[in-house]
Amino acid sequence: MAQSIELPIIDPVGINFVNLSQQDRQPIREVTIPVDSQYNSDRVLEVLNSAMQYVGKAHPQFNGWHSCYVSQVLIGSVTYKIRFECSADSHFDEPKHFILKNALRFLKSSGISFDSSMVVQNVDSLHTSHFSSLLNVYPFGILRVLDEREVMGLSKNTKSLHFNPGQQVIQQGDFADSMYIIAEGSLEVTAHNEKGEKITLAHLWPGDCLGEMSLLTGEPRSANVYASLSTHLIEITKEELAPILSNNPLLVERISTLLAERTAHRQKTLSQSAQEAMADQVKTSLVSKILKFFGKA
């Protein structure tokens, strides 16, 4: 006759269940962003995914995993949700702030608004409008020294360009007198080292500028640049910028100051005082080069 075995009664209240498959995962968090429903959802998701790629590269707290999707459709607006992983020890609001800040930047650069206008508009015309695009992105780069009236004048002749992933935008050594501002997408800046090997110098994102030195001084392109994603650029030439600089000579000094400070800031090994001294030296040289290139010296 088989013996019966009495099992102890276990109180489940005090048990901590551990999911072994999740032990290496970081906390999953989420943010929501309402966007005007007039915009194509695929395009909005593409911009948000681009913003999250930037976040993953720029901030050490993020582990690269993210998901962007439509979570709610209302009259006049669509709510998008971003789910992401980040370090467990990061403050709850810090990652959310960083993501929202950059999502706003990328959406604004793309001309995508958050207000529910409830007005039927031609999205393609909004996207390709030179004025709308330039007005959205100019505050992020060296053109922020211009006022809105000057931007409106500049936008009349700027060109909107599109590049597919892998397509070359700039070739090192070429002479040109134009610069670009990224409205959508991403660019990879590369060069060759002493061994002839291709190396990546930087990744550029919406709001970033490239080719400023060629525009302002006529110097040859210093690196190769390729589109990493489907990318929309705004091109500004010397011919378009010249009348603005002529009408406002102080802009040369203000632009030179911005570029000099950026150059000095990249020298991480220098002390603060050394960076300031370098910035002053670079600024003086830039002012001279710009005035000479624009025939004002």
Side-chain angles (χ1 to χ4, degrees):
M1 181 175 178
Q3 294 183 341
S4 63
I5 301 176
E6 293 186 4
L7 297 176
I9 298 175
I10 300 176
D11 179 6
V13 175
I15 296 178
N16 292 320
F17 292 94
V18 178
N19 186 339
L20 296 177
S21 65
Q22 296 293 323
Q23 289 191 79
D24 295 328
R25 296 292 296 273
Q26 300 295 335
I28 296 178
R29 304 177 185 180
E30 60 184 37
V31 296
T32 57
I33 302 174
V35 174
D36 195 313
S37 61
Q38 68 174 304
Y39 300 103
N40 181 281
S41 60
D42 289 335
R43 179 171 169 240
V44 175
L45 289 170
E46 183 179 2
V47 173
L48 291 177
N49 273 299
S50 177
M52 289 305 297
Q53 288 183 40
Y54 169 77
V55 166
K57 292 179 181 293
H59 205 290
Q61 290 182 329
F62 296 92
N63 301 317
W65 181 90
H66 72 271
S67 176
C68 304
Y69 57 94
V70 175
S71 67
Q72 190 175 30
V73 179
L74 301 173
I75 298 177
S77 68
V78 177
T79 300
Y80 296 84
K81 184 171 287 188
I82 302 174
R83 303 189 76 210
F84 60 94
E85 284 185 329
C86 63
S87 301
D89 57 353
S90 61
H91 188 274
F92 182 79
D93 288 332
E94 185 180 355
K96 181 178 178 180
H97 162 77
F98 193 77
I99 286 178
L100 288 175
K101 177 182 177 182
N102 286 284
L104 286 170
R105 169 185 164 182
F106 279 53
L107 290 168
K108 181 176 175 61
S109 296
S110 303
I112 296 174
S113 66
F114 301 89
D115 297 328
S116 177
S117 62
M118 293 298 293
V119 176
V120 177
Q121 300 184 50
N122 185 327
V123 177
D124 288 337
S125 66
L126 285 173
H127 179 54
T128 57
S129 167
H130 302 324
F131 169 65
S132 175
S133 298
L134 186 59
L135 189 65
N136 288 329
V137 298
Y138 89 92
F140 300 110
I142 64 168
L143 294 184
R144 66 177 180 267
V145 300
L146 307 182
D147 60 34
E148 191 169 303
R149 177 183 55 81
E150 291 167 330
V151 175
M152 290 176 65
L154 184 61
S155 67
K156 294 178 181 178
N157 298 308
T158 55
K159 297 179 181 177
S160 295
L161 305 175
H162 180 267
F163 293 87
N164 294 318
Q167 191 173 356
Q168 187 165 13
V169 178
I170 286 177
Q171 182 170 335
Q172 185 176 7
D174 281 357
F175 285 89
D177 59 359
S178 67
M179 64 170 278
Y180 303 98
I181 307 178
I182 305 175
E184 289 184 45
S186 177
L187 299 175
E188 180 185 23
V189 183
T190 70
H192 290 88
N193 60 19
E194 297 82 359
K195 299 180 180 179
E197 301 169 330
K198 179 182 176 181
I199 57 173
T200 298
L201 301 177
H203 291 277
L204 303 178
W205 303 90
D208 288 337
C209 301
L210 64 153
E212 308 98 304
M213 297 306 294
S214 293
L215 169 68
L216 296 170
T217 67
E219 294 179 0
R221 303 297 197 190
S222 59
N224 295 307
V225 181
Y226 298 86
S228 303
L229 305 171
S230 179
T231 302
H232 170 215
L233 303 178
I234 302 170
E235 183 181 28
I236 298 171
T237 67
K238 174 188 177 184
E239 182 180 3
E240 294 152 4
L241 186 62
I244 296 176
L245 296 184
S246 180
N247 293 331
N248 191 347
L250 288 177
L251 289 176
V252 173
E253 185 171 348
R254 295 174 66 186
I255 290 175
S256 298
T257 299
L258 285 177
L259 289 173
E261 289 176 348
R262 187 181 67 181
T263 300
H265 182 69
R266 290 173 177 169
Q267 305 301 316
K268 303 294 185 180
T269 58
L270 298 179
S271 65
Q272 182 64 33
S273 59
Q275 287 185 21
E276 292 174 356
M278 180 181 181
D280 288 340
Q281 184 178 2
V282 172
K283 174 188 172 182
T284 301
S285 175
L286 277 175
V287 169
S288 176
K289 289 180 179 180
I290 294 172
L291 292 176
K292 182 177 180 181
F293 186 57
F294 281 84
K296 302 296 181 182

